[in-house]
Each structure stands twice: as structure tokens, then as C-alpha cells.
Amino acid sequence: MAYRAPVEEYKFIYDHVVGFDQVRATDQFGEASADLTDAILGEAGKLCDEVLAPLQRNGDLDPAQLENGVVRTSKGFAGGYQAIAEGGWVGMAATPDFGGMGLPMTVASSVNEMMAGACLSLQLNPLMTQGQIEALEHHASDEIKDVYLPKLVSGEWCGTMNLTEAQAGSDVGALSSKAIENGDGSFAVTGQKIFISWGDNDFSGNVCHLVLARLPDGPNGTKGISLFLVPKYMPDAEGNPGVANSLKVVSLEDKMGLHGSPTAVMQFDGATGWMIGAPHNGMKAMFTMMNNARLGVGGEGIGAAEGAYQHAVSYALDRKQGRSPIEGGTGAIIDHADVRRMLTSMKAEIFAARSIALSCAVAIDMGRASGGPDWAARAAFLTPIAKAHGTDIGNEVSYMGVQVHGGMGFIEETGAAQYCRDVRVTAIYEGTNGIQAMDLVARKLMDGGEAAFRLLEEVEETAEAARLDHPDLAEPLWSAAETMRETVELFVAQPDLNERFAGAVPFLRAFARVLGAHAHLKAAVAAGDGPRVALAAFYIKRLLPEGLAAMSHAREGASGLYALSADDLSAQ
């Protein structure tokens, strides 16, 4: 079965789970009617099904190459990117002032996710550009906006994000890249960056790098970092690509997956750049891009899960093996209980993770449209959950997809293993999932848990309202929400951050389980009966209990983690 974008699923979630009607009711997004968003999702679905999905295997089998300093992209990727750009999909959420559609982040997130499901390695390219667009919209000077945003929004130029250095890793404050003022408003940027997704390509007119570097008077640590826009080609007086800048691709990483996405080591040798935002305040501007990217990366995980799931279902429907254990069975492996367990788990996990991500997107839209601090706080709280859980589920579902295939899943020609290899890095980049969890239990609880408690109150209200018609689903969800509330209270009262960090990952997992069950219960209530109720029952009765175990794990603190010394751990 070829990939099919789950357009109807997004529509259902909009209408019955995440409250997208609130977004449509705002002045800013009042034009995002059901007819318009249905049409947009439909057209994006066609792009994914007919243009991008056929490129999925090409990216793996014909990877990007660096030849004499020139990046050569996978066969068909140039045409695929051109279709994305010409359709306006790069600038979906960008302001109309520079040619964007001005669509809600909820819609843009849905389109990005389905593109990731179709061809993750190519979808990474516009995702990076979208993050750069948002950073420039918020922090760049008018002169920079006028030159760069129209080109980036149209997809004529591409954008990247340059944070990581070999000696620094996640400790961005340890970077060594330098920037020296040229005296004409520009800066000479020097340094080397690693892990730069889509650091170059052979199909866009220019590649614009956002680079973190330190001014000569910049203090140590993240508070001394500034952000610079460094283009591959210097724009001329008309804003067109001119002379080459002093930068180059040193090499492309030999990666586990995402072979179609060139991940570059970038060298800047006094390259001309322009400061974005205030001096020594680069992390603020970069975080605008990173937060955009974190939701997007969560969507990549979910998209990859969707692709892996569809691949596995297709195989399970066709593969004949053994005697069917059910009356009227087809004889295919989909009749077998363990295969059903895996496929149902995959479907239930995808729905829950997708609903969490779109709930985060709705909060972002409402925060932008209303300026309400509660919406902004909700978006901030949900972002690490959407990123970490979405990518965890991407990894877990793609793993199960290989298992459904059995021995053939280990054979590359089936394509099942590609989903595992491609999605694996999503749990690492844009802040590892451990870092996301630490952020959740530290910064995101600095409000005393208010944002968390408001979410849990909504979960309990939904459960209370559903007790009459779905008591077997409502009661365990209400109970889990109460236990989660107690866990939040315990974490808020714990002043030692390392004690919180010890349980951060299971804390995030537990919260995601409660939110996922909430989404499933809302779907069951909306449907009344049928497959959605059965899927909700599966999630709440079989997967939600894992959240309770995760809460117990989270409460254990740090002492048990240090009961074994470093020598104990390394002993043979």
C-alpha cells in the first residue's frame, strides 16, 4: 500500500479533540474556515501522496553526496522541493506581508507532519526554513526582513540553523565561533559548526545560515552569544544572489538514516553576516526558531510513525502465514493476536501523540491571536511534551513496524527498517528528549504548576462528563489525572533540581499518557460508538496504566541512580 496522507484524521481532531473552533473564532485566523482548511489539507495530501512519497526510498538508496565542494541531492529531490515551494507550503504560517499564507500553526503543523510521513528526509528542508522565517519575523531589522523574507517565504532560498560545535554539544554556551565587526554594519564570522541539517543543496538560489557566535566583548556562557545571518551568496543591490561568501561545506555526516538529507560540517572563515537581535542576546532569537522546530520535530516523529504504520498494515494484510486463529479469518498475519496488539498499539499511539501536538499548536495560535498569557503558558508547557513524546512514539511505532514484518523487516528491500533509521535522530536533535523532560520539570514548573494543573482540570472535567456514557473509560482517566496532579505537587515542592531531573523522563511520559487518554476519551464521546470507542478503550485500559508506573518511577528521585558508583557501572 502506498502512503496516504491521513487528511480525515486531522479534520476529526480539529473538530472533536483540540478545539480548533477557538482559533477560527479569532480575528487573526477568522478566515481559516472549515472549507478553507479542508481544501488546504486536501491539496497538501495530494502533494504528499503523488509527489513526495515516491521519493522516500530514493533518499535512502541514492543519498546526498559532496562532490568537489558541491552538494548533490538525491534523485528527484529537486523536483519534490520545487513542488513544495511552488505550492506555497514553505510559507504556510508566515506573515502575508512578505508573501506568506498566514495560516494557523495548527494547519501548518498538520501539513508538515503529513510531508514527514511521505518523505522525512526532504521535509526537513522546509522545516528549517520555516523556523528561520519566524526568527527573522520577530528579531531581524526591517532591512534584513525586506531582503530575505520574501525569498525564504517563497522557497526560492532555504534557511538553516547553526548551533552545535564539536567541543560543545548541547552545552551551546561553550561554543568558540567568533564574530568581529567590519565597521559597515556587518560582521566577520569565523568558526566551525557540525550537524547542520540541509547545510547546502543544489536546487535553491541561496542558503541562509543563522549562526551563533561570540563578539570579542561577549561574556562566557550563553549570555554572551549573538546571532548572525550568514548567506551562502551575498545579495546584490537588487537582492539577488551575488558573490560567494567565505563559507563552505567541509563534509557530510555518514548517518544511520536520513540519507537523503545532507547533514553538513560547515566552516565559516571571516564570512560576512548581519546580527539578528541585540548583541549578546542571540539565544533569545535562536530559541524562537528552536521552539518552532521542536513542535515540528515532534510532528516528524508522528509522521514517520504514520508511514511505518501504514507500511506494516499493508504487509500484515497480505502476508499469509499459519492457520487463522479467528473464525472467518483471512489467513493473513493480521488475524493473529500479537500482530493485532502491535497494529492497534501503533494506531492508538499515533492518534494520542498527534492530538497532543495539535493541542500545542492550537495553544500557540491562541496565544498569538489573543495575547493571553494562559495560552502562552500552555503552549510552553506542551512544547517539550509534543517534541519528546512525538519522537518517542515515532521510534517505538517504527520499531513495531519492523516487528510486524518479522524477518522481512530486517531486510532492507521491504523499506520497513528505513523508518526506524530515519526517525531515530528526532529524539536527539533540537534538544534531546532528556533535555526536553528536564525543561518540563524545571522551567515549565516555575509557575508553581499552574499550567499543568489547568490541563489536568480539563482532563478531569472531560472524565466527569463522560462517566454516564463511558464509565469504564472515564473512571481510570480521572483517577490517573488525580495521581498525576499529586506527582506535579511533589515535583513543585522539591527544591533540588537533580531530584526532579532523575524522574523527568518518566514524568513527561506519564503526563503524555494522561493527555493521550484524554484525547481518546474525547474522540470516543464524539463518536458515540464504533472503532474510535474501541481504540480509546485499548489505549485507556492497556496503555494508560503505563503512565501510572511512570509516575511511580518519577517519584523515586535521584538517590537510587547514584547507588551504583561510576566504578560499579564500568565493572565487568
Side-chain angles (χ1 to χ4, degrees), residues 80-144:
Y81 178 80
Q82 193 66 29
I84 293 170
E86 290 178 353
W89 303 113
V90 179
M92 287 179 287
T95 173
D97 295 344
F98 296 98
M101 294 187 189
L103 290 173
M105 181 60 70
T106 308
V107 179
S109 296
S110 302
V111 174
N112 282 334
E113 187 215 295
M114 68 173 86
M115 286 199 295
C119 184
L120 179 55
S121 57
L122 180 55
Q123 183 265 351
L124 257 173
N125 183 295
L127 183 70
M128 292 292 97
T129 303
Q130 288 166 3
Q132 185 170 122
I133 289 169
E134 185 168 6
L136 295 184
E137 284 179 345
H138 284 83
H139 302 286
S141 67
D142 289 341
E143 292 79 9
I144 291 290

Side-chain angles (χ1 to χ4, degrees), residues 2-147:
Y3 174 83
R4 288 291 178 266
V7 171
E8 294 304 317
E9 194 78 339
Y10 300 120
K11 296 178 186 179
F12 179 87
I13 292 173
Y14 287 3
D15 293 341
H16 302 294
V17 179
V18 299
F20 189 61
D21 57 312
Q22 300 170 92
V23 178
R24 289 182 171 131
T26 65
D27 291 338
Q28 183 170 344
F29 299 116
E31 295 183 1
S33 65
D35 288 343
L36 178 63
T37 56
D38 287 357
I40 288 170
L41 293 174
E43 286 303 310
K46 290 179 184 177
L47 170 74
C48 293
D49 298 348
E50 299 170 8
V51 178
L52 302 185
L55 302 176
Q56 167 79 349
R57 290 297 284 155
N58 290 0
D60 199 48
L61 302 176
D62 178 30
Q65 302 285 343
L66 181 64
E67 300 177 353
N68 299 318
V70 178
V71 172
R72 305 294 184 190
T73 56
S74 302
K75 181 180 179 181
F77 272 35
Y81 178 80
Q82 193 66 29
I84 293 170
E86 290 178 353
W89 303 113
V90 179
M92 287 179 287
T95 173
D97 295 344
F98 296 98
M101 294 187 189
L103 290 173
M105 181 60 70
T106 308
V107 179
S109 296
S110 302
V111 174
N112 282 334
E113 187 215 295
M114 68 173 86
M115 286 199 295
C119 184
L120 179 55
S121 57
L122 180 55
Q123 183 265 351
L124 257 173
N125 183 295
L127 183 70
M128 292 292 97
T129 303
Q130 288 166 3
Q132 185 170 122
I133 289 169
E134 185 168 6
L136 295 184
E137 284 179 345
H138 284 83
H139 302 286
S141 67
D142 289 341
E143 292 79 9
I144 291 290
K145 291 178 182 178
D146 290 341
V147 172

